[in-house]
Amino acid sequence: MFSDFDFEVIVSALPFLWEGMMFSLGLTLLAMLGGIFLGTLLALMRLSPFKILSYPAGAYVNLIRSIPLILVIFWFYFLIPIAVKNISGNPYAAGIGPFYSALIAFTMFEAAYYCEIIRAGIQSVPRGQVHAAYALGLNYRQATTLVILPQAFRNMIPILLTTSIILFQDTSLVYVVGLTDFMGAASKIARRDGRLVELYLFAALIYFIICFTASYFVKRLQARYNVGRN
Amino acid sequence: MIEMKNVSKWYGSFQVLKNCSTRVKKGEVVVVCGPSGSGKSTLIKTVNALEPFQQGEITVEGISVGAPGTDLPKLRSRIGMVFQNFELFPHMKVVDNINLAQIKVLNRSSDEAHAKSMALLKRVGLEAHAQKHPGQLSGGQQQRVAIARGLAMDPIAMLFDEPTSALDPEMINEVLDVMTELAREGMTMMVVTHEMGFASRVAHRVIFMDQGEIVEDANKGDFFGKPRAERAQQFLSKILHH
């Protein structure tokens, strides 16, 4: 099987694959930042004593978490242009393009997962810390941003990063809306040159190296935090 | 200065505070004692609205704590509070713990806040530890920082919720010394504590609570001389003769 393994194919495809990798990493990073921001808001809403905030956030999180990611990507790609047309009343209104629709889909999807992590992180901050912040005269916003969230995020960093590693793998789903990420690039070359074994093995190897290395660093980070806490 | 009238509070159907009434005058030191679960901590936390209550009225310098329109952050910023578990913010340096509310709540400049913080750290004997994180300090040191953090707001009164209960015995006195000095300077203080030595030396009045009720509210001499309530007598004999 490996007797006719052709490394040349991979070498010549490297620039194209590199472009795909930059796309994957970029999308991961943007969706992660957006997801954590939105997830934080959702978590604060879910923890709010006001039902008008906590119920919609809870419903959103439970809905999104019950739907496959690939469906969410489809929805945003096909439904957002329709929504834009209906809202603007302009039947010729342009869509936002596959990249932004995918970015929004990933952000909204990941936000639901980040929300649950961040909610647990906020709840892990002792009640006494909240009392101490309020006793000093800080208001809700100040107590949250200056005292609670910094501690919550410190506890959450390992699991947030782990979730982001999975997000990185999931970005390969963007092929369904015609975008070319790393996986898509490998797939295109593989079919063009008829070199499925080489390209898919190479893609798997690269995913493995990146994700394994990242997981390793997350573990080290976690160990360091645990030591610091005792 | 602090006035409580018929304050009652329930957790579900369980009543934790029953018609509690008392007042703390300016410059007065009031010790609140009683068996655990008697509602002392809850009572003191109603004063700055960390614990809501369902019935009665509490006023601090005439401002109603329970009224819906009260600016709670402003009210709280004028009352210092020290907790059993210190509750310093672990992600900030010691000095930043003390700076934080001065800058964010009182809008002091960072230079002004820093100078105040350092002066207070010096006062509690910890200026050398300003740049450390709370986790690097002993319990007694952390509690002194917590007192400094409360004092930085130039409070009109200080609340202490079992300030020495989480401390190793050898550290209790360093905290009580700071509190004693504070009392000598005329600070209005409400102190939940089991330290009867502190109460007999420093307090003006002692409140004894049991099962959510204020059973005895007497001048120090009367309380330690001959408490009227039987439950207070039993409590005193238990903790003074161990």
Side-chain angles (χ1 to χ4, degrees):
Chain A
M1 174 185 165
F2 292 104
S3 56
D4 59 347
F5 202 89
D6 185 1
F7 288 103
E8 270 305 303
V9 177
I10 294 169
V11 174
S12 65
L14 277 179
F16 187 57
L17 292 172
W18 176 256
E19 246 173 69
M21 180 52 77
M22 288 300 106
F23 178 91
S24 294
L25 289 173
L27 181 61
T28 304
L29 197 70
L30 290 175
M32 182 180 146
L33 294 176
I36 288 177
F37 178 75
L38 203 59
T40 307
L41 292 184
L42 281 169
L44 291 172
M45 283 170 73
R46 282 205 85 172
L47 291 170
S48 161
F50 303 110
K51 289 196 173 81
I52 193 161
L53 292 176
S54 64
Y55 277 26
Y60 175 81
V61 168
N62 285 322
L63 174 74
I64 292 285
R65 298 211 310 165
S66 319
I67 293 174
L69 171 58
I70 198 159
L71 255 183
V72 178
I73 299 172
F74 261 131
W75 274 5
F76 277 92
Y77 186 58
F78 292 110
L79 294 185
I80 284 197
I82 295 172
V84 168
K85 278 175 193 157
N86 281 333
I87 292 166
S88 66
N90 175 4
Y92 302 108
I96 52 169
F99 176 74
Y100 286 105
S101 89
L103 178 59
I104 293 171
F106 273 102
T107 303
M108 306 276 290
F109 186 82
E110 293 301 322
Y113 286 85
Y114 285 126
C115 163
E116 292 304 275
I117 297 170
I118 295 164
R119 185 164 71 123
I122 291 172
Q123 285 174 321
S124 75
V125 177
R127 188 88 197 118
Q129 288 283 308
V130 184
H131 273 175
Y134 284 148
L136 283 167
L138 299 178
N139 59 32
Y140 171 79
R141 190 179 51 76
Q142 292 169 326
T144 304
T145 57
L146 300 171
V147 175
I148 299 161
L149 286 181
Q151 294 186 59
F153 274 107
R154 205 167 61 159
N155 297 342
M156 290 180 308
I157 283 174
I159 179 130
L160 283 177
L161 290 178
T162 304
T163 305
S164 304
I165 292 170
I166 298 169
L167 166 66
F168 170 65
Q169 295 166 7
D170 287 347
T171 54
S172 58
L173 290 173
V174 293
Y175 78 90
V176 298
V177 291
L179 291 168
T180 306
D181 71 320
F182 176 67
M183 186 62 215
S187 175
K188 276 184 183 166
I189 300 282
R191 276 177 283 144
R192 186 194 67 189
D193 297 352
R195 288 287 177 182
L196 301 179
V197 175
E198 285 87 344
L199 267 304
Y200 284 144
L201 273 179
F202 180 70
L205 182 71
I206 297 296
Y207 273 117
F208 174 77
I209 291 173
I210 291 178
C211 295
F212 185 80
T213 315
S215 303
Y216 173 76
F217 280 110
V218 171
K219 260 186 211 129
R220 293 231 344 219
L221 200 65
Q222 200 161 17
R224 223 182 63 197
Y225 278 130
N226 287 342
V227 168
R229 217 175 289 165
N230 293 335
Chain B
M1 172 178 284
I2 301 170
E3 197 157 353
M4 307 182 129
K5 274 187 217 148
N6 299 319
V7 174
S8 291
K9 176 183 171 70
W10 288 263
Y11 284 125
S13 62
F14 178 69
Q15 192 169 4
V16 272
L17 295 177
K18 296 173 188 163
N19 279 321
C20 296
S21 299
T22 190
R23 56 193 304 178
V24 181
K25 283 180 289 197
K26 191 172 183 318
E28 205 173 22
V29 177
V30 174
V31 161
V32 184
C33 63
S36 53
S38 58
K40 341 179 263 299
S41 288
T42 310
L43 182 80
I44 201 174
K45 282 181 184 153
T46 57
V47 174
N48 61 354
L50 288 182
E51 292 282 359
F53 51 94
Q54 284 85 25
Q55 258 177 37
E57 197 188 17
I58 301 178
T59 55
V60 176
E61 286 208 315
I63 299 163
S64 169
V65 175
T70 303
D71 183 351
L72 281 181
K74 191 176 173 198
L75 180 81
R76 286 168 174 152
S77 72
R78 302 175 67 207
I79 309 171
M81 181 143 200
V82 175
F83 298 86
Q84 183 175 358
N85 294 313
F86 330 131
E87 305 299 353
L88 295 178
F89 305 132
H91 57 297
M92 293 178 192
K93 288 177 192 162
V94 162
V95 68
D96 292 328
N97 262 275
I98 310 176
N99 287 343
L100 180 72
Q102 295 187 64
I103 295 169
K104 298 291 176 183
V105 179
L106 302 182
N107 297 317
R108 287 185 185 151
S109 71
S110 57
D111 287 347
E112 204 183 341
H114 189 81
K116 177 100 185 169
S117 301
M118 291 310 291
L120 283 165
L121 278 175
K122 189 170 178 190
R123 173 175 173 175
V124 297
L126 293 169
E127 78 237 82
H129 300 280
Q131 299 301 323
K132 291 186 182 168
H133 279 83
Q136 298 167 274
L137 269 53
S138 74
Q141 291 171 329
Q142 289 190 53
Q143 197 60 298
R144 280 143 65 197
V145 172
I147 295 173
R149 181 174 70 176
L151 291 175
M153 307 298 282
D154 293 323
I156 54 170
M158 288 284 286
L159 307 175
F160 293 85
D161 182 13
E162 305 208 25
T164 57
S165 299
L167 294 178
D168 291 334
E170 74 270 22
M171 294 171 185
I172 290 177
N173 280 331
E174 63 188 71
V175 171
L176 290 182
D177 287 348
V178 172
M179 291 168 60
T180 305
E181 200 188 303
L182 207 54
R184 296 259 149 81
E185 287 168 13
M187 176 62 78
T188 309
M189 291 162 66
M190 225 175 147
V191 186
V192 174
T193 186
H194 296 292
E195 294 294 329
M196 287 302 124
F198 173 81
S200 63
R201 271 182 288 116
V202 180
H204 300 111
R205 259 175 44 232
V206 180
I207 291 173
F208 174 77
M209 289 187 73
D210 192 22
Q211 296 177 4
E213 268 177 284
I214 293 182
V215 179
E216 182 106 20
D217 185 346
N219 287 329
K220 172 176 68 181
D222 297 338
F223 183 80
F224 286 106
K226 180 135 190 69
R228 285 184 302 264
E230 198 184 325
R231 278 182 282 183
Q233 287 169 17
Q234 285 169 355
F235 176 78
L236 270 184
S237 70
K238 268 184 210 148
I239 60 168
L240 293 179
H241 304 294
H242 61 76

